[in-house]
Amino acid sequence: MDSLMALLQSLQGAPAYLLLFAVLVGSGVGLPVNEDLLLVAAAALTLRHVMEPVPLVAVAWCGVLCADGLIFHWGRRFGPQLLRHRLTARALPQRRVDAMQHAVQRWGPACIFAVRFMPGLRSALLFAAGSLQIRYRHFFLFDGAAALVELPLLVWAVRRVGGNWEQILDLVQRWRAVLLPGVVLLAAAAWLTVRWRSRRRNG
């Protein structure tokens, strides 16, 4: 991770953004890089003018959405067949996928909004959501909206604390358990609103 950040810091302009995008996509599909740490460190580079906040948010949004979209697509396209492969079974045990499918069935597509705030369960939840044949438009709506909330707040927080940006990592972990229930409630409310409006139009 240190060598990656040194490389990012040595780059300027488009190459830095392209590298960030590539690593974000890779981290979502198995590259051993912590996405949250990478995003916080990249946000810290805006303090050194290696990157600018708005382009960083835009590139990071595209990167995380591509990574999440690939996992979701694999779940939708291959589903149980992919789970039977021994390598996949190690990364996504059947019991975990079953639990995630139950959560998706209970909360509906709106739970995808909360998935963005669950780094330890993100891949399994997205794969489970895809295997249940949730529509792509619902995935992009909720996952994209969650990233649009998370990324600007993360960049703002890092810039706000300035040189003490490492503290953001501790705060993210400390408050995740408190924020998550609220995020789930907001996602459920959004999904209920969408369903209510749909039924009203159809009725």
Side-chain angles (χ1 to χ4, degrees):
M1 188 66 189
D2 292 337
S3 59
L4 174 61
M5 294 315 302
L7 179 58
L8 274 174
Q9 190 168 352
S10 68
L11 298 174
Q12 295 291 333
Y17 294 113
L18 287 173
L19 177 59
L20 175 65
F21 175 81
V23 176
L24 281 173
V25 174
S27 71
V29 295
L31 191 68
V33 174
N34 186 290
E35 180 186 293
D36 296 317
L37 178 59
L38 175 62
L39 289 171
V40 170
L45 291 180
T46 65
L47 298 170
R48 303 176 184 178
H49 306 290
V50 176
M51 297 181 178
E52 295 298 325
V54 174
L56 170 59
V57 170
V59 171
W61 186 85
C62 293
V64 299
L65 211 62
C66 284
D68 292 351
L70 283 172
I71 298 171
F72 178 83
H73 172 72
W74 291 336
R76 185 179 171 88
R77 177 68 177 82
F78 301 108
Q81 296 91 335
L82 188 60
L83 288 174
R84 285 194 289 268
H85 194 281
R86 61 184 181 88
L87 295 178
T88 308
R90 289 181 182 179
L92 294 175
Q94 184 62 51
R95 62 182 182 278
R96 173 175 288 188
V97 175
D98 290 342
M100 297 304 102
Q101 286 179 333
H102 177 72
V104 173
Q105 288 172 331
R106 180 177 181 181
W107 296 102
C111 76
I112 294 175
F113 186 93
V115 171
R116 180 105 292 276
F117 304 91
M118 301 179 184
L121 301 174
R122 187 179 298 148
S123 296
L125 271 170
L126 289 171
F127 190 91
S131 68
L132 291 173
Q133 300 300 306
I134 289 178
R135 296 180 179 179
Y136 285 105
R137 68 170 179 267
H138 289 152
F139 162 76
F140 285 111
L141 171 65
F142 290 109
D143 193 59
L148 204 57
V149 171
E150 177 197 22
L151 296 173
L153 283 176
L154 185 63
V155 173
W156 175 83
V158 171
R159 292 176 62 82
R160 181 74 175 179
V161 301
N164 299 319
W165 61 268
E166 291 91 346
Q167 297 176 359
I168 296 296
L169 291 176
D170 295 331
L171 290 174
V172 167
Q173 298 299 327
R174 186 179 305 170
W175 288 100
R176 192 179 299 279
V178 177
L179 294 175
L180 186 56
V183 169
V184 172
L185 289 175
L186 287 173
W191 172 241
L192 289 174
T193 301
V194 171
R195 291 191 65 180
W196 176 75
R197 289 180 177 177
S198 177
R199 289 180 178 178
R200 190 175 180 182
R201 287 196 300 267
N202 295 333

